[in-house]
Amino acid sequence: MENSIFENLQSCAISPSLEIGSYEALWDQSEKMGFAKLAKMFASGAMFPSHFIATEVAEKYYAEVMKRVQNANLNQFGVRIRGTLDYKPSFLEACEPLEVIYYEGLWDLVYTPSVAIVGTRHPSEEGIRRAKKLTQGLIEKGYTIVSGLAAGIDTAAHSTALEYGGKTIAVIGTPLSEVYPKENKDLFARIAKDHLIISQVPFIKYEKQNIKTKRLYFPERNKTMSALTKATVIVEAGETSGTLVQARAALKQKRKLFILQNNFDNPRLTWPKRMEEKGAIRVKDFNDLWVHLEY
Amino acid sequence: MSINAKAQKIDKLIIQDHRYLDRDDECFFFAEYFNKDGVIINQGYGAGDNLISNLKIKKSETKRLKYGHKAKAIKQCADLIVKCFTVDKLKECLFIPIPPSKTKDDPEYDDRINQILISIQEEAKLINSDIKFIDLLSTKLSREQTSSHSGKNLTPKEHIDNWVISPLNEDLNKYEVIIIFDDVITTGSQFKAAKNIVQSLNTSAKIIGLFVARRVLIHKKNQG
């Protein structure tokens, strides 16, 4: 039976709700599903999640997602799908480009020039002070501040951006329906209301996972943060910080990677030197940073 | 620059942004834009690429440089549509443009929608094919653009009352699919108005909407 002209036209478009449902189903139907595996499946760029999942299954998952969106009182919820005009091309430069990105807030903030400020969850007072000063300077220069909403350096970066009337984007390692850490509930709400929160984490699968596998989303979102931004600045980080995942991603994606001098001064750390050898830029004072950033 | 992008359907995730659309309306678009307090933050497929704002550059501000941007945006819109839907599929359809908000004698008359369709026709000619559109509707009285901040949102009926229907519409019966085309869909009022008119002239065609962009409603959170 031949397709009608209308059906032919329809096949040239995607339906966002079905892509959401299909993405969730893909994650949920295989124990081993991960971002690397998904990226392989979609490497050609010509396929969409809905190519792999029956419509009625996708509809079911979509309905489940929307229940969670409503329960979490997500206000400006939306989705970005690879292969459409609304997917910012810089996301394609990630080693494993995301197929689906969820967001809450004003998506268009991704088109503003942005810098990621990241670091440890347990910073020194000096580290917090540096994060604030750096954020303030970047805001004055018109940059949007991107961070991961974690405790410590991330929280300092987001809060300072808000305090100085700047723009900020949080790239989180939980679904949009969860706030982590809990004490950032108000910060999350403020960013969601007037700025932007981004998550690549599937709602349904996440609920079925244990703490150990849930944690794996955090370093994954660090790669996304790097792909989104023009540069990443590491304020303060330990030897095993997720921040280092972002550092490696930034270098791989040909983004600028800045490391503040204090990290080099710490004799217990080996990573600053290693990253510098691979192309990271050492920042002794913020003027170094402006020069490199604008160049 | 050519862009390959998939069109998106206005489905249940987003239909509530368009007051006049119903679940059985088949509408497609390429990009979303956030119109916050009447200001387009940064619409585009890359920083600084303002497809919609370039498309809407007014005659009064069309210095030569700006006009280049506008012409480029018109061409990009045509490219998007042809690449996504292909000439082969489109040649079976009839396009009906939503008429400009100003009348032909108005200094701000802007026929960018027709320009896009003409550009699509030119692309079809390159492969010896033909894509058809007719100017079924024209505006009686100039009004503010609906998508502009000061523009008043008219109901479908008010739009119908302000349009003249061309008598040259017997062709409509020949098509299985009719595509109502505009650059931006906001409330869906003009689409609904045009759909009603087409249905009243021809009941058998499948009528769909095609838009370059859709306006995303900024929800005001009920604080309290």
Side-chain angles (χ1 to χ4, degrees):
Chain A
M1 156 103 193
E2 205 170 314
N3 276 354
S4 71
I5 294 160
F6 171 66
E7 281 165 345
N8 281 337
L9 287 174
Q10 215 180 9
S11 69
C12 301
I14 55 160
S15 169
S17 61
L18 283 183
E19 299 308 328
I20 290 175
S22 305
Y23 178 74
E24 294 282 337
L26 279 174
W27 271 99
D28 198 26
Q29 290 182 346
S30 151
E31 199 50 54
K32 291 198 176 62
M33 188 52 77
F35 292 104
K37 196 171 168 187
L38 274 172
K40 256 204 203 79
M41 277 170 80
F42 293 103
S44 74
M47 303 287 252
F48 290 86
S50 57
H51 286 124
F52 298 91
I53 302 290
T55 302
E56 52 277 16
V57 175
E59 293 277 10
K60 269 203 205 88
Y61 275 92
Y62 172 72
E64 287 300 318
V65 167
M66 290 321 276
K67 269 187 212 158
R68 285 151 184 83
V69 166
Q70 261 117 43
N71 287 343
N73 203 1
L74 296 182
N75 184 44
Q76 197 83 41
F77 170 72
V79 66
R80 290 295 176 241
I81 297 147
R82 185 181 163 192
T84 67
L85 205 54
D86 289 322
Y87 187 95
K88 190 190 180 191
S90 78
F91 285 115
L92 293 171
E93 291 161 25
C95 314
E96 295 147 2
L98 301 174
E99 200 53 28
V100 164
I101 303 173
Y102 295 125
Y103 71 90
E104 187 186 6
L106 296 172
W107 173 257
D108 281 15
L109 286 185
V110 303
Y111 296 114
T112 57
S114 62
V115 173
I117 298 180
V118 290
T120 172
R121 290 163 202 248
H122 310 286
S124 62
E125 268 180 44
E126 201 47 26
I128 293 280
R129 197 188 57 77
R130 286 194 182 99
K132 286 182 171 171
K133 192 175 159 201
L134 178 67
T135 301
Q136 203 186 329
L138 284 165
I139 293 285
E140 274 168 23
K141 298 250 182 250
Y143 286 97
T144 297
I145 304 298
V146 178
S147 198
L149 203 81
I153 298 294
D154 290 14
T155 297
H158 289 304
S159 316
T160 310
L162 294 176
E163 192 184 329
Y164 286 93
K167 299 187 179 82
T168 189
I169 301 174
V171 184
I172 62 175
T174 59
L176 288 171
S177 50
E178 306 255 341
V179 180
Y180 183 83
K182 286 277 176 281
E183 41 285 7
N184 273 349
K185 198 164 165 267
D186 287 350
L187 185 60
F188 183 107
R190 285 179 67 196
I191 297 173
K193 185 175 162 286
D194 296 317
H195 301 265
L196 176 66
I197 308 229
I198 288 176
S199 171
Q200 64 205 72
V201 183
F203 291 85
I204 313 292
K205 172 87 169 212
Y206 187 85
E207 290 173 9
K208 303 176 180 179
Q209 291 177 284
N210 59 34
I211 292 285
K212 207 169 139 229
T213 54
K214 276 179 180 174
R215 276 218 306 264
L216 298 173
Y217 290 113
F218 287 103
E220 292 292 344
R221 71 91 197 296
N222 281 96
K223 298 176 191 170
T224 303
M225 228 193 284
S226 168
L228 163 62
T229 50
K230 187 175 169 177
T232 289
V233 190
I234 301 180
V235 178
E236 188 178 304
E239 266 316 276
T240 55
S241 173
T243 305
L244 302 187
V245 172
Q246 185 157 339
R248 282 189 290 272
L251 293 170
K252 239 189 213 153
Q253 298 162 8
K254 308 259 184 294
R255 304 284 191 268
K256 288 190 171 129
L257 173 64
F258 297 102
I259 301 171
L260 299 195
Q261 175 63 35
N262 49 289
N263 295 291
F264 292 91
D265 298 339
N266 183 342
R268 286 195 307 274
L269 298 180
T270 60
W271 65 263
K273 201 92 200 81
R274 279 203 319 272
M275 294 291 173
E276 190 175 33
E277 278 158 14
K278 287 185 183 145
I281 301 158
R282 187 191 294 230
V283 178
K284 293 196 174 82
D285 70 61
F286 290 140
N287 280 334
D288 292 354
L289 198 136
W290 311 142
V291 169
H292 280 284
L293 202 53
E294 310 283 326
Y295 147 75
Chain B
M1 182 183 109
S2 86
I3 332 150
N4 250 327
K6 199 90 169 166
Q8 304 176 70
K9 185 177 189 296
I10 297 183
D11 66 358
K12 55 192 168 205
L13 177 71
I14 48 190
I15 197 167
Q16 66 280 2
D17 286 354
H18 311 286
R19 199 184 332 152
Y20 293 105
L21 292 188
D22 303 314
R23 282 287 169 95
D24 60 354
D25 287 321
E26 298 278 354
C27 289
F28 302 92
F29 69 96
F30 285 96
E32 294 187 339
Y33 83 90
F34 287 76
N35 192 329
K36 199 176 193 228
D37 309 324
V39 182
I40 297 175
I41 301 170
N42 202 346
Q43 154 63 36
Y45 33 86
D49 244 323
N50 283 317
L51 190 60
I52 296 301
S53 41
N54 283 344
L55 201 60
K56 286 183 177 287
I57 289 170
K58 289 194 170 125
K59 274 218 174 107
S60 50
E61 52 179 343
T62 5
K63 307 254 181 333
R64 224 177 340 169
L65 174 73
K66 279 238 172 171
Y67 207 76
H69 289 312
K70 185 168 180 132
K72 197 176 129 192
I74 286 169
K75 179 89 182 69
Q76 282 177 333
C77 292
D79 269 351
L80 263 179
I81 294 163
V82 171
K83 278 219 175 65
C84 174
F85 292 103
T86 72
V87 169
D88 251 3
K89 296 187 180 93
L90 294 174
K91 68 172 199 265
E92 307 287 342
C93 312
L94 175 71
F95 279 91
I96 293 178
I98 294 289
S101 51
K102 306 284 191 262
T103 55
K104 274 198 171 139
D105 54 358
D106 192 301
E108 285 293 355
Y109 174 77
D110 180 351
D111 65 346
R112 61 182 181 267
I113 305 302
N114 280 34
Q115 298 283 345
I116 294 170
L117 292 175
I118 289 164
S119 187
I120 289 174
Q121 282 182 325
E122 283 166 358
E123 294 202 29
K125 282 201 186 86
L126 293 177
I127 55 167
N128 295 321
S129 190
D130 184 25
I131 290 174
K132 296 158 222 67
F133 75 89
I134 61 164
D135 275 322
L136 181 70
L137 308 165
S138 52
T139 302
K140 287 182 197 167
L141 277 179
S142 288
R143 49 175 191 81
E144 284 296 315
Q145 291 193 9
T146 37
S147 48
S148 78
H149 192 40
S150 54
K152 184 177 155 304
N153 286 322
L154 303 182
T155 63
K157 188 179 175 314
E158 287 170 319
H159 281 297
I160 291 171
D161 292 343
N162 194 32
W163 283 342
V164 182
I165 303 169
S166 158
L168 305 170
N169 57 44
E170 60 281 2
D171 255 9
L172 295 185
N173 299 312
K174 288 201 275 196
Y175 296 92
E176 205 179 305
V177 173
I178 288 176
I179 303 174
I180 292 164
F181 177 61
D182 203 354
D183 54 358
V184 177
I185 179 166
T186 52
T187 62
S189 180
Q190 298 199 72
F191 166 74
K192 258 324 212 218
K195 186 175 173 178
N196 284 343
I197 290 172
V198 174
Q199 274 171 331
S200 69
L201 297 168
N202 170 328
T203 50
S204 66
K206 175 93 186 166
I207 301 160
I208 67 172
L210 177 61
F211 308 90
V212 179
R214 76 171 195 98
R215 181 272 283 118
V216 176
L217 260 192
I218 305 284
H219 307 287
K220 287 278 172 265
K221 214 167 187 162
N222 305 325
Q223 303 286 327

